[in-house]
Amino acid sequence: MTAVLENSTDTSGSEAQAGAVSSFQVTLKIRRYNPEVAAEAYWEEHTVTAHGTDRVLDALHKIKWELDGSLTFRRSCAHGVCGSDAMRINGRNRLACKTLLKDINPDKPIVVEAIKGLPVLKDLVVDMEPFFASYREIMPFLITSGNEPSRENIQSQADRDRFDDTTKCILCAACTSSCPVFWTDGQYFGPAAIVNAHRFIFDSRDQGGTQRLEVLNDKEGVWRCRTTFNCTEACPRGIEVTKAIQEVKRAMITRAF
Amino acid sequence: MQTHQYDVVIVGAGGAGMRAALEASKGARTAVISKLYPTRSHTGAAQGGMCAALANVEEDNWEWHTFDTIKGGDYLVDQDAAEVMAKEAIDAVLDLERMGLPFNRTPEGRIDQRRFGGHTRNHGEAAVRRACYAADRTGHMILQTLYQNCVKQDVEFYNEFYVLDLLTDHDLTTEDIEDGAEVNATGVVAYDLATGELHVFQTKAVVFATGGAGKIFKTTSNAHTLTGDGMALAYRRGLPLEDMEFFQFHPTGLAGLGILLSEAARGEGGILRNADGERFMERYAPTIKDLAPRDIVARSMANEVREGRGAGPNKDYVLLDLTHLEPAHIDAKLPDITEFARTYLGIEPYTEPVPVYPTAHYAMGGVPTNIKGEVLRDGHNVVKGLYAAGEVACVSVHGSNRLGTNSLLDINVFGKRAGRSAAAYAQTVEQHLPIVEGPTARVEAQLSEMRDRPDGERVADVRQALQETMDANAQVFRTDESLNKAAADIRELQKRYRNVSVQDKGSLFNTDLLEAIELGFLLDIAEVTVVAALNRRESRGGHYREDFPDRDDDNYMLHTMAYRRPTSAPDAADGHVAGYFDHVEDFGDYKVVLGSKPVTMTRYEPMERKY
């Protein structure tokens, strides 16, 4: 089959099918930081050749593989399901592997930097521990009591659909690190943790709702949300994050307190 | 250097690793070491479902599932293992549901089931609804659910730690070890990506759950990180790899990109068409058509393209047609994969057919184990304290071709078994065995050589050359000539690899250095794959030799066991059958030696495989 990015002479059939965008030059302006080398971060530009269906991740790889091996970023699946490569691209949080270059005006330099609000460790890599710590705090697992059923729990498809949206979360942190409240207050649980609490609070099989609502009634809990909708806009999985947070707030009023 | 002591160390935090961890950590001090954050693992990319004969929507039983698995694997499946898997599938699914997995539901509120390739009613009569699923993100939900339960159970993780060596008390690469003699695994050496520091884990039991090696190919559904680490480490330590010639090419990768579109698309009614709009699978598998097993569908697609009936400007792909399905049905059952088509190809699947072509997807072969998950060091002796499960392992439940959904099942059933076996074994061991002196020496030498070399080959160039020769010469169609070409290329690339250098010389998050290490794993896996494929002069399942198009049960109804040995070692491996499986391929300062292992048969006689 045809090549993706490496082979510049190879024009792929799928490109033609997808609307024939031929090869083009693209400049990435990347925020670099390596504490082993310099205490301060700096901007660096690289120009590479890209093709019709190439994504920001392809351009980053091209830079790393052909120009500067020290450029550092996380990535794995490269098609938007593992959540490794959330980054700020032209000021918006996105997954580099899901953002096509042709969709973000490659005529001007594309600005790429680490997501905000989490400590930058090197280049585009941030410390994810605070993010996962918040996730763990909301008890992200099914809580049941009494005897286990001998077969499956019974749940209607309607009850299953009730929390479908929040099961899509891939913990990429795009939402949490787009939240202005989180930027100024790292103690705030943040949208992703609340989304994962929602996934269980609205699961008809779960009996831990009260405990979770108590956790999120904390001063760093859901009430910190100012409904700016940045999280909803940032979510690469299309989760209605702000709506989920509002539903948790509402549950807090109607259910627990 | 830091050292740690555990009862059980699990390497890899995908489905198999975390399922093992949930089991092992109940009774033994357990650590999970993973080169990724657990939720980044590629189990999360699996889409369509996990089969179990729950019979929630129609008559089914585990014996039919066993038969389908064996037939699907073209009779190279170990039948005892397939029975275990099909039987324990039912509890594996129920376990996941009770752990919280949000399966789609029937009108009665039970777990819903749908059709999938090669899964049939009563030994091939018609497709059966056996796959339990959560929309088209079943793997995502399995990975999340297992991670959630690891959080609940307070499992200890070492994230972004790369395991770079396996420690044993005997050197299997050079020592002549007698039949029945005891060989023990004693620990692993890991590299902390964040700091560059090496850690030694001394342990009573090790479970390898490191996943596959799809990145030996260029067009693949696999993640960048699927570089065969665990397989290569075992192989370098003198352990055999089993059935590596069998690699599955998934029929429906997005054309040009390789991104996976689940078989569920066809399970829900999608149809493959060639440029003339013909439903060509009717010619290749008249009974179950588009739902034939993957090897057959992938070959049929490649054949359509080869005979000039491919679609598109270069006639190099076929079309997956969903346009006759209701948009609401597509949204409910296949939301993610239709989104992939929109995002990456700009195709609207409601109204346009999607360009697809086979993509390298799954290694049927791997580190040989028995049904307890114990790793074999030859045809029958186990390595004490060493276990493997999931794609890294070869039990073998997939034989020469895995059925769709059986990998999510494999990781749950054999992940659990390996975790349980490892913990039970660790409990019988009073004291940790001593680890070798200077346990990190090999890894340190390798890392510093690469980092200190001022100038040399670029990792990306060698990797690209490898992936291109594998796609060109060892893909869906293979011949003696093409495989010899691949072997020659790999021999050359192994030499070039010894001269690679990295630009990043630092200690913090040096992914440049780790990509170089991973390239070494890829080369080793490609080497075994090609040598094993050269030796198997028949066509079976995912291994298709144009020069030997028929299955040859008289000579090849055996598992391949490939060993790396010094050039001075004898050419015959243990379990060797004279006449076949005696291929030796010299790579300069070592050679690949092949042996064989009998296929375990219980009640199913090999038959011609027709659908």
Side-chain angles (χ1 to χ4, degrees):
Chain A
M1 268 311 289
T2 44
V4 198
L5 182 136
E6 302 94 59
N7 192 341
S8 57
T9 58
D10 195 276
T11 50
S12 109
S14 56
E15 278 166 33
Q17 185 75 22
V21 182
S22 52
S23 73
F24 53 91
Q25 296 288 108
V26 63
T27 301
L28 264 60
K29 184 178 173 189
I30 305 168
R31 184 82 170 160
R32 301 291 306 266
Y33 171 66
N34 182 355
E36 276 186 298
V37 176
E40 294 297 315
Y42 59 97
W43 292 97
E44 191 176 76
E45 289 191 16
H46 287 289
T47 302
V48 293
T49 305
H51 301 275
T53 55
D54 285 354
R55 297 151 268 170
V56 172
L57 180 63
D58 295 311
L60 289 170
H61 268 146
K62 197 155 187 167
I63 294 167
K64 183 175 183 66
W65 292 343
E66 295 174 14
L67 303 171
D68 182 357
S70 73
L71 176 64
T72 303
F73 49 91
R74 291 188 177 105
R75 89 289 185 256
S76 187
C77 79
H79 65 285
V81 298
C82 81
S84 297
D85 63 349
M87 47 189 81
R88 236 169 121 77
I89 298 167
N90 281 353
R92 245 187 82 182
N93 281 3
R94 312 171 194 240
L95 297 181
C97 63
K98 232 187 152 176
T99 308
L100 270 62
L101 292 164
K102 69 180 172 68
D103 294 342
I104 44 167
N105 186 14
D107 298 339
K108 285 193 269 184
I110 295 169
V111 180
V112 181
E113 55 196 312
I115 48 175
K116 282 174 78 171
L118 292 162
V120 179
L121 300 175
K122 184 178 174 184
D123 294 345
L124 305 173
V125 174
V126 299
D127 182 3
M128 294 294 287
E129 280 308 322
F131 174 81
F132 278 102
S134 293
Y135 167 78
R136 286 191 295 266
E137 255 185 273
I138 56 91
M139 298 177 285
F141 38 80
L142 194 71
I143 297 174
T144 55
S145 57
N147 291 334
E148 274 208 336
S150 59
R151 284 194 53 106
E152 69 263 52
N153 295 289
I154 300 296
Q155 180 173 53
S156 72
Q157 185 59 34
D159 283 345
R160 161 68 181 79
D161 290 340
R162 179 67 189 86
F163 62 101
D164 185 63
D165 200 36
T166 45
T167 65
K168 296 179 200 160
C169 177
I170 55 175
L171 299 168
C172 67
C175 60
T176 295
S177 63
S178 75
C179 172
V181 176
F182 182 76
W183 293 340
T184 52
D185 174 10
Q187 302 289 310
Y188 171 44
F189 278 88
I194 302 170
V195 158
N196 281 279
H198 178 283
R199 178 250 171 272
F200 289 99
I201 292 167
F202 292 91
D203 186 334
S204 59
R205 299 169 297 172
D206 186 75
Q207 293 164 326
T210 312
Q211 287 162 264
R212 283 191 198 89
L213 290 171
E214 254 170 55
V215 172
L216 289 173
N217 195 34
D218 183 89
K219 67 178 167 56
E220 302 294 353
V222 285
W223 307 112
R224 299 286 279 131
C225 169
R226 291 291 176 272
T227 57
T228 55
F229 284 89
N230 279 17
C231 49
T232 301
E233 201 180 303
C235 180
R237 303 284 291 149
I239 300 171
E240 294 182 275
V241 182
T242 316
K243 185 178 166 202
I245 297 173
Q246 292 307 102
E247 288 180 349
V248 172
K249 287 180 184 171
R250 209 169 303 139
M252 219 168 261
I253 292 162
T254 56
R255 278 206 214 173
F257 307 100
Chain B
M1 182 185 91
Q2 291 190 38
T3 56
H4 311 264
Q5 261 192 1
Y6 286 94
D7 293 334
V8 178
V9 164
I10 294 164
V11 185
M18 291 203 284
R19 191 66 191 83
L22 288 175
E23 215 57 31
S25 61
K26 284 180 196 159
R29 220 177 137 245
T30 300
V32 182
I33 308 178
S34 170
K35 70 177 182 178
L36 300 172
Y37 271 89
T39 56
R40 313 298 182 221
S41 303
H42 212 54
T43 295
Q47 298 164 355
M50 170 169 165
C51 272
L54 299 181
N56 277 3
V57 292
E58 62 179 306
E59 187 190 359
D60 198 7
N61 67 63
W62 66 261
E63 190 274 323
W64 296 352
H65 187 182
T66 308
F67 171 78
D68 289 338
T69 299
I70 292 165
K71 180 181 172 189
D74 221 348
Y75 296 92
L76 202 72
V77 171
D78 284 330
Q79 299 186 2
D80 57 337
E83 278 173 29
V84 161
M85 185 170 79
K87 204 190 284 186
E88 294 181 11
I90 294 161
D91 276 335
V93 167
L94 297 177
D95 277 354
L96 285 169
E97 195 283 330
R98 290 186 296 241
M99 283 185 209
L101 199 146
F103 284 108
N104 279 49
R105 299 289 172 156
T106 65
E108 299 77 38
R110 314 276 297 271
I111 295 168
D112 197 15
Q113 300 187 272
R114 65 177 165 202
R115 297 189 183 99
F116 235 83
H119 290 278
T120 70
R121 176 163 53 85
N122 195 19
H123 314 96
E125 276 180 12
V128 73
R129 292 185 167 88
R130 185 179 290 150
C132 310
Y133 66 101
D136 57 353
R137 44 177 173 272
T138 314
H140 165 76
M141 293 318 324
I142 289 177
L143 189 70
Q144 296 291 327
T145 301
L146 291 174
Y147 182 61
Q148 289 157 1
N149 280 272
C150 284
V151 170
K152 186 179 187 177
Q153 232 170 277
D154 212 9
V155 171
E156 201 174 339
F157 286 97
Y158 289 83
N159 295 327
E160 299 189 321
F161 274 57
Y162 287 66
V163 168
L164 299 184
D165 208 355
L166 166 68
L167 304 173
T168 53
D169 61 354
H170 285 85
D171 186 353
L172 294 166
T173 58
T174 52
E175 281 179 54
D176 191 16
I177 296 174
E178 279 176 28
D179 191 34
E182 192 173 308
V183 176
N184 295 282
T186 57
V188 296
V189 179
Y191 175 98
D192 178 3
L193 183 66
T195 63
E197 199 176 3
L198 291 180
H199 292 245
V200 175
F201 291 81
Q202 186 180 25
T203 179
K204 294 171 181 170
V206 178
V207 181
F208 268 13
T210 56
K215 280 286 158 183
I216 60 175
F217 294 98
K218 180 168 157 183
T219 307
T220 175
S221 63
N222 282 201
H224 286 286
T225 43
L226 285 171
T227 49
D229 306 16
M231 296 177 190
L233 289 178
Y235 177 59
R236 287 176 186 181
R237 297 275 64 81
L239 296 171
L241 294 179
E242 180 176 348
D243 289 345
M244 292 298 287
E245 62 272 41
F246 299 105
F247 208 97
Q248 178 164 85
F249 300 91
H250 193 292
T252 52
L254 278 185
L257 296 170
I259 294 172
L260 183 67
L261 297 185
S262 171
E263 200 167 308
R266 284 169 285 137
E268 296 290 352
I271 291 170
L272 291 166
R273 299 188 189 281
N274 60 22
D276 309 326
E278 184 204 3
R279 184 180 193 179
F280 58 86
M281 281 313 299
E282 283 177 338
R283 274 187 277 120
Y284 298 94
T287 309
I288 56 176
K289 305 182 180 86
D290 299 274
L291 285 174
R294 290 173 179 173
D295 58 329
I296 294 173
V297 179
R299 225 160 20 242
S300 306
M301 289 167 65
N303 199 53
E304 289 300 296
V305 166
R306 218 151 62 147
E307 293 182 354
R309 292 187 293 277
N314 303 324
K315 294 177 168 295
D316 58 357
Y317 54 76
V318 301
L319 297 165
L320 175 63
D321 185 3
L322 305 175
T323 57
H324 54 291
L325 303 178
E326 282 298 318
H329 182 69
I330 293 177
D331 289 348
K333 300 296 176 74
L334 307 166
D336 283 10
I337 60 170
T338 44
E339 181 66 24
F340 294 151
R342 290 183 195 113
T343 303
Y344 296 111
L345 292 184
I347 297 280
E348 175 45 68
Y350 294 159
T351 53
E352 298 166 87
V354 184
V356 290
Y357 197 76
T359 181
H361 186 55
Y362 187 89
M364 266 75 73
V367 177
T369 72
N370 59 25
I371 55 173
K372 290 190 270 184
E374 296 172 308
V375 171
L376 302 174
R377 66 173 165 85
D378 53 28
H380 58 280
N381 285 295
V382 302
V383 179
K384 293 187 85 173
L386 186 59
Y387 303 81
E391 193 173 344
V392 66
C394 181
V395 200
S396 135
V397 281
H398 309 307
S400 59
N401 172 61
R402 173 174 71 73
L403 287 190
T405 79
N406 271 356
S407 58
L408 289 179
L409 182 54
D410 177 7
I411 59 177
N412 278 285
V413 168
F414 291 101
K416 181 177 180 176
R417 282 179 159 250
R420 194 168 42 191
S421 303
Y425 173 72
Q427 281 158 357
T428 67
V429 179
E430 282 198 8
Q431 272 207 317
H432 286 87
L433 290 171
I435 46 176
V436 287
E437 216 160 294
T440 59
R442 266 193 304 248
V443 174
E444 268 169 43
Q446 190 189 12
L447 293 173
S448 58
E449 200 183 326
M450 228 163 243
R451 196 160 31 195
D452 298 344
R453 191 174 289 130
D455 206 14
E457 286 273 0
R458 229 163 33 190
V459 169
D461 293 345
V462 176
R463 185 174 51 213
Q464 189 184 340
L466 171 71
Q467 291 168 339
E468 277 171 4
T469 190
M470 289 300 285
D471 266 25
N473 298 310
Q475 221 223 22
V476 176
F477 295 115
R478 301 164 169 183
T479 64
D480 204 55
E481 193 190 346
S482 76
L483 292 165
N484 273 312
K485 172 79 173 72
D489 287 346
I490 292 166
R491 199 176 281 119
E492 191 55 37
L493 292 169
Q494 287 279 26
K495 285 192 194 120
R496 283 173 63 186
Y497 180 66
R498 287 170 209 177
N499 192 35
V500 296
S501 72
V502 296
Q503 283 176 283
D504 193 337
K505 309 292 185 189
S507 314
L508 308 183
F509 283 95
N510 193 339
T511 52
D512 199 19
L513 180 63
L514 270 300
E515 276 192 43
I517 297 288
E518 289 174 327
L519 172 59
F521 296 147
L522 289 175
L523 284 163
D524 290 356
I525 298 310
E527 162 190 303
V528 190
T529 303
V530 167
V531 174
L534 264 170
N535 178 70
R536 190 173 284 275
R537 297 158 88 88
E538 65 156 353
S539 291
R540 183 188 297 270
H543 171 68
Y544 188 79
R545 290 280 304 254
E546 288 182 86
D547 40 358
F548 300 94
D550 298 319
R551 197 173 85 191
D552 175 3
D553 287 345
D554 292 341
N555 295 309
Y556 290 100
M557 183 54 92
L558 289 162
H559 298 293
T560 306
M561 303 287 271
Y563 304 78
R564 181 184 272 188
R565 288 289 180 263
T567 37
S568 58
D571 281 349
D574 196 49
H576 173 82
V577 175
Y580 299 89
F581 295 91
D582 55 358
H583 190 86
V584 179
E585 195 78 28
D586 199 330
F587 281 85
D589 51 359
Y590 63 86
K591 60 187 177 186
V592 182
V593 177
L594 298 183
S596 65
K597 186 169 74 104
V599 176
T600 307
M601 305 257 183
T602 55
R603 59 172 126 171
Y604 303 99
E605 283 296 319
M607 295 188 300
E608 196 196 345
R609 190 161 159 257
K610 275 204 268 194
Y611 287 95

